[in-house]
Amino acid sequence: EPEVTQTPSHQVTQMGQEVILRCVPISNHLYFYWYRQILGQKVEFLVSFYNNEISEKSEIFDDQFSVERPDGSNFTLKIRSTKLEDSAMYFCASSPNGYGYTFGSGTRLTVV
Amino acid sequence: AQSVSQHNHHVILSEAASLELGCNYSYGGTVNLFWYVQYPGQHLQLLLKYFSGDPLVKGIKGFEAEFIKSKFSFNLRKPSVQWSDTAEYFCAVKDSNDYKLSFGAGTTVTVRA
């Protein structure tokens, strides 16, 4: 069964550093998403991406965040200057049609 | 965006017991409904989904859910749980004209052998 692959599985970074979280969506999917889950809290929507542009973003997704699909296969989330409160599990998801989603296994980001 | 409520934070039960997890969403209209499971250390996996049609939906691993539109509910059930059902369960709702899923807070289910 096709999978969404996320790397790394765990990243530790110092506050103020930039991080890039990587995702390889399922190859024929057209819609891409990032969600995050702070420990003990709900899974929260960050951003959706379709047709090479952001289709929707949440209040969390401020100027510190950006997404790219640089080469047609990877889908990245960049956090420019990490804060302690960015520590969370980040999930990538993809969908062929905007209705059914496949999630990756997540990247646990720890900001110290 | 929808607000999704899951009534139980942590459920502990014995093998062979029946399980029901509640899920309510905040407002009507056309919605797509999902239950996901997250086993320890693993990714979110789809258990079942409802888009339209029969409100009683059967999913994988013996799970089912019932959509009751008048109650804005989509409760998950399993008649007889196994130890391997120990996991976190998330209800999620998507408005049909929206891109994003709104998740509930999750319910941790612990099944004791």
Side-chain angles (χ1 to χ4, degrees):
Chain A
E1 189 174 329
E3 289 185 348
V4 174
T5 306
Q6 289 187 244
T7 54
S9 57
H10 190 185
Q11 177 142 7
V12 181
T13 189
Q14 289 201 325
M15 192 168 52
Q17 295 296 305
E18 174 183 286
V19 294
I20 298 176
L21 308 183
R22 301 181 194 282
C23 170
V24 179
I26 294 173
S27 61
N28 62 347
H29 284 191
L30 302 177
Y31 296 80
F32 313 107
Y33 309 85
W34 284 100
Y35 288 78
R36 79 172 185 191
Q37 184 183 23
I38 295 171
L39 190 63
Q41 298 186 24
K42 291 186 182 189
V43 177
E44 303 171 291
F45 169 77
L46 291 178
V47 66
S48 60
F49 191 86
Y50 171 71
N51 201 25
N52 287 320
E53 61 182 21
I54 291 173
S55 46
E56 189 173 356
K57 60 183 181 179
S58 71
E59 293 172 352
I60 303 165
F61 195 88
D62 62 20
D63 292 345
Q64 292 298 311
F65 291 87
S66 62
V67 288
E68 268 193 330
R69 191 156 156 78
D71 55 12
S73 62
N74 291 287
F75 179 52
T76 61
L77 175 70
K78 183 193 291 186
I79 309 174
R80 284 189 188 75
S81 178
T82 49
K83 302 188 280 277
L84 294 176
E85 54 264 38
D86 294 326
S87 295
M89 180 75 88
Y90 288 81
F91 293 104
C92 174
S94 70
S95 172
N97 51 20
Y99 292 98
Y101 305 80
T102 302
F103 282 84
S105 55
T107 294
R108 182 167 296 285
L109 176 65
T110 303
V111 182
V112 297
Chain B
Q2 292 278 355
S3 174
V4 182
S5 300
Q6 290 184 239
H7 310 306
N8 309 99
H9 180 63
H10 193 180
V11 172
I12 302 172
L13 55 164
S14 300
E15 277 193 310
S18 64
L19 173 70
E20 180 159 358
L21 303 181
C23 173
N24 286 89
Y25 58 97
S26 53
Y27 60 89
T30 304
V31 291
N32 305 140
L33 301 157
F34 305 81
W35 275 97
Y36 285 89
V37 61
Q38 187 177 25
Y39 298 104
Q42 297 189 28
H43 61 279
L44 290 165
Q45 297 177 37
L46 181 66
L47 273 180
L48 47 79
K49 61 190 177 194
Y50 172 82
F51 286 174
S52 64
D54 188 343
L56 186 61
V57 180
K58 294 196 185 300
I60 61 171
K61 302 178 190 282
F63 286 90
E64 64 179 31
E66 185 175 11
F67 171 49
I68 303 179
K69 189 172 183 178
S70 61
K71 295 185 178 180
F72 303 125
S73 71
F74 189 56
N75 292 353
L76 181 72
R77 297 194 289 253
K78 184 169 183 177
S80 176
V81 295
Q82 300 171 306
W83 176 81
S84 57
D85 293 322
T86 295
E88 187 143 17
Y89 292 80
F90 294 93
C91 180
V93 178
K94 176 185 168 303
D95 287 323
S96 61
N97 60 353
D98 202 352
Y99 290 103
K100 64 183 181 293
L101 291 174
S102 297
F103 282 83
T107 299
T108 302
V109 173
T110 302
V111 180
R112 293 192 170 144

